[in-house]
Every structure is written in C-alpha cells, then in structure tokens.
Amino acid sequence: MPDSLTVIDNRTGERFELPIAYGIYPNYGAYIRGADLKKIKGSPEDFGLLSYDPAFMNTASCKSAVGFIDGDRGILRYRGYPIEQLAEKSDYLETAYLVLKGELPAPSELAAWKHEVTHHTFVHESIKKFMEGFHYDAHPMGVLVSTVAALSTFYPEARDILEPATRWKQVVRLVAKLPTIAAFAYRHSVGMPYVYPDNDLGFAGNFLSMMFKTTQLRYTPNETLERVLNVLFILHADHEQNCSTSAMRAVGSSHADPYVSVAAAAAALYGPLHGGANEQVLRMLVEIGSVDRIPEYIKRVKAGELKLMGFGHRVYKNYDPRARILREMAPQVFDVTGKNPLLDIAVELERIALEDDYFVSRKLYPNVDFYSGIIYQAMGFPVDIFPVLFAIPRVSGWLAQWQEMLEDPEQKIARPRQIYIGHDERDYVPMSDRG
Ligand code: CMC
C-alpha cells in the first residue's frame, strides 16, 4: 500500500492520489504538499483547491533541523539536545553556537566563538547618538527594534546575504551587539551614562555590568545571578516556527538584510501574546495585588474579560518545560535578592488554574513568561525591559532559522494565498453620483 491519500472530489467524481511524505521521523511530521491540492478542480476554469488555514494552525511552512517541540509531552530540544540538559550544563554562548551551527563546539571552536562575539560587542558611536534621540520614557522594545534596523545602514555589505562569510559576520555582530543596545536603551531611560562593554566578563556578566554598573571601577557580577541569566538566555534561544521566527523567515525570504529582518522579528516578539507576555504577567500580578483577590480575577478570565497572561501556548498542551526549569530555579535567585512578594500570588494563581476546569479542559498551563518576569524583577530589571531580555538570546534562533531558510532550495519568497471575499468587479462611480 503506497503512502498516499486518495481523495474523491464529489463535485466531479474525480479521484486523486496525493502522496504522503515524511520528515525523517515517520510518527512526527507526515505531510501532503499544499500545492498537490491545486490539481483538484471543480471545473476546468477553476483555480484549484486551496487549503485555508488562518494563523497557520496546521500548516508546516518549512523543514527545520534547529529546534524540536512535542507540545503534548512538554518536550523542547535544540539540535536534539534536551533543554533540561542545556540549562544544567551549558552557557548561553555555547548554546547559541549549537543553535547556529548545529553541533556543540569543540574547545577551540568555543574559544574562537567567544572571542569573536566579545570583540563585536561595541556599537558605533553614532548609534549612541541615534539612541539619544528617543524620549526618556520610550519603550525599550521600540528602541531596540529601531536601533537594530538602523544597524543596517552601518553595515551595507550585509545586503550580500548569499555570501556565507558576510552572512556569518552579521550573525556575530547581531549576537554581540543586542545586549549593548538593550543596556544602552535602559541607561538612556533612567538618564544614566552608558557603560561600555567589559571584554573581560562573560556574555551574561557583561550585560549585567552594562545595565547596573555605577561608580565602581570594575563591576563584579554576582555568580548566581550571572548563572541564572545564562539559563534564562538558554531557555529563550529558539522555539521553532513561532510568530517572530516566522516574521524573520518571511522578511528574510525577500532577501532583505539580516538587520531589518531581525528588527521585524523583534517587532513580532514585542506583542503581548508573544514575547511581550512576560511584561504583562508582571503587570497582571501587580493588578491582582494579593492572594485573596485571585478568585475574583479568575472569574473575570473565565467570563472572557481578560486572559491569564503567561498561560497557554499554541503548541504546548502540557507544562512548558521552560516554565518548569524557571519555577525550580527561582529560589536560587531569591536567596540572593530576597523573595519577590509577587511569587506567592503567582504560585497560588498557578495552583488554582491547574485545578480549574476552564484551564484544564483547554490544556492551559504556565508558559515560559509566567515565571521569567518574577525572576527578572527580583534581579533588578525594570518591567518594560523584559521583552528585550527575551530578544537578546532569541536572535540566535532567528539567525539560525534565517540561514537555514536561505540554504533551503525549496524556499522562495514567502507569499501565502487568500480566499477573496470582496466585491466582484464593478464600475467606478463618479463623485457626483455618490450619496
Ligand atoms: N487565558 C485565558 N484563556 C485562554 C488563554 C489565557 N492565557 N489562552 C487561551 N485561552 C483560551 C481561549 O480563549 C480559547 O478558549 P475558547 O476555546 O473557549 O475560545 C482556548 O483557550 C484556546 O485558545 P486559543 O486562543 O485558540 O489559543 P492560541 O493557540 O491561538 O493562543 C496564546 C496561544 C499563547 C496566544 C494564548 O494562549 C494566549 O494569549 N496566552 C496569553 C499570552 C501569553 O502568555 N503568551 C506567551 C506565549 S509563550 C512565549 C512565546 O513563545 O511567545
């Protein structure tokens, strides 16, 4: 029996064989090609059958070897490695290398990669001036999106996206410069002088220095907090075809340069349903205010007035493995920083939600954003920079997927079809005849 789908078009009685193909795992990723539906026509003039899938609920737009999610079982892997092992044993730059290159680096490769990234952390002085143009209360995500797009004008060679060496140079620059831009955005918002990168610190430690250094000659990051930030960055490095990655691939598919493509991806991430949710979770916990007000809030969520931010996921229909790691890691942070008083509200909210039929029947579990914000806040990060903290590591995933897309012979400019539902042809109405 061939692996195929037999389709009978009851409009015409015609019978079609549509081949079923597979990724490399037969029980995961069996598919038919959307283009094969085109030959199914109601009449000879017919355009052919389209598959209609708003929000891509069941459409694979690419083949990818970067990340793997099994949402029913709560599994996330980068390049085959379970997220739990990476969170325990790796650091962000090593994980970024894995995500970008496909393999864990050998010692010499890791040293070279760290050296490359470290030496591209500075931004052009004109970028600093550019950032000074923003209002003091500009949202850091708006600043990040605009500034990353502006990098495109500093590196015009980046348009040569088909040249692997040029492409790699921009990858290094983007991974290296995002923390600097993020920290400058924060320092600008609080009116403090910018702190230049310290090349003797690690990736996460240097970011903490650029954010929080004040009068000390050298900033020494707290070891626990530096490690925790590494883990947070690891957990956010890639998440296969999410909204921002799809934006990266779509914009990149027109052969736009990686800076404007990353800016587009970051813009998609900014939304409260995606990477902006961590900020909204914090605002929600503050609005709830105390444990005794949770039942009232849950009532409003169930009435459809509000969403429980940090809950639910398009793919995970089980506990998000990233949220589990963060929940377990939170006490380490609070040992250093003191407990975030919002934690009690979060834990009780989760307990109630996991027992309530509304959430259970819809398989709504805490996602990565539910606990990340509480940890970020305890570490001293202001709430509106949380989505930026998501963008810093996610750039490695965006760029890995962008490179994969450019090297995939099956990919072309992204261009979905539509089902037209507007007027049929009609004649122009002169102004004098319009009511
Ligand atoms: N609170 C209350 N109800 C919810 C929530 C929520 N957070 N999420 C989904 N639902 C309900 C939704 O109303 C719908 O109910 P019904 O069947 O009665 O209409 C049902 O659950 C299915 O939801 P959906 O909207 O069809 O699910 P989706 O796959 O389109 O949306 C989501 C996924 C993440 C956008 C959504 O769950 C959500 O808005 N969550 C809150 C925002 C959030 O935490 N986002 C971060 C996602 S994880 C980080 C990342 O990778 O971006």
Side-chain angles (χ1 to χ4, degrees), residues 273-274 277 307-308 310-314 358 362 364 367 369:
L273 300 187
H274 190 8
K307 274 191 164 173
L308 201 54
F311 266 71
H313 198 276
R314 171 62 59 78
Y358 176 93
R362 290 171 177 78
L364 300 172
N367 59 50
D369 291 315

Side-chain angles (χ1 to χ4, degrees), residues 143-217:
V143 176
L144 181 87
V145 167
S146 327
T147 311
V148 171
L151 287 180
S152 155
T153 64
F154 287 77
Y155 305 112
E157 77 273 18
R159 289 201 292 271
D160 194 2
I161 47 113
L162 297 178
E163 219 294 292
T166 315
R167 213 157 62 204
W168 184 248
K169 184 107 190 238
Q170 318 318 315
V171 167
V172 173
R173 283 180 172 143
L174 275 158
V175 170
K177 291 183 200 310
L178 241 67
T180 314
I181 295 171
F184 281 15
Y186 166 66
R187 304 287 288 204
H188 178 67
S189 72
V190 288
M192 287 177 75
Y194 301 140
V195 176
Y196 285 97
D198 180 342
N199 287 356
D200 291 333
L201 293 174
F203 187 86
N206 173 51
F207 179 57
L208 290 170
S209 163
M210 291 190 294
M211 286 288 297
F212 300 125
K213 182 169 180 281
T214 50
T215 54
Q216 59 274 58
L217 280 179

Side-chain angles (χ1 to χ4, degrees), residues 55 57 239 242 269 272-278 281 301-302 306-315 317 320 322 358-359 362 364 367-369 390 394:
M57 297 293 286
H239 214 227
N242 53 81
L269 187 74
L273 300 187
H274 190 8
N278 50 16
V281 169
V301 171
K302 286 161 68 172
L306 305 159
K307 274 191 164 173
L308 201 54
M309 299 313 284
F311 266 71
H313 198 276
R314 171 62 59 78
V315 185
K317 300 302 168 197
D320 179 339
R322 302 167 300 173
Y358 176 93
F359 298 93
R362 290 171 177 78
L364 300 172
N367 59 50
V368 70
D369 291 315
F390 195 147
R394 182 53 61 85

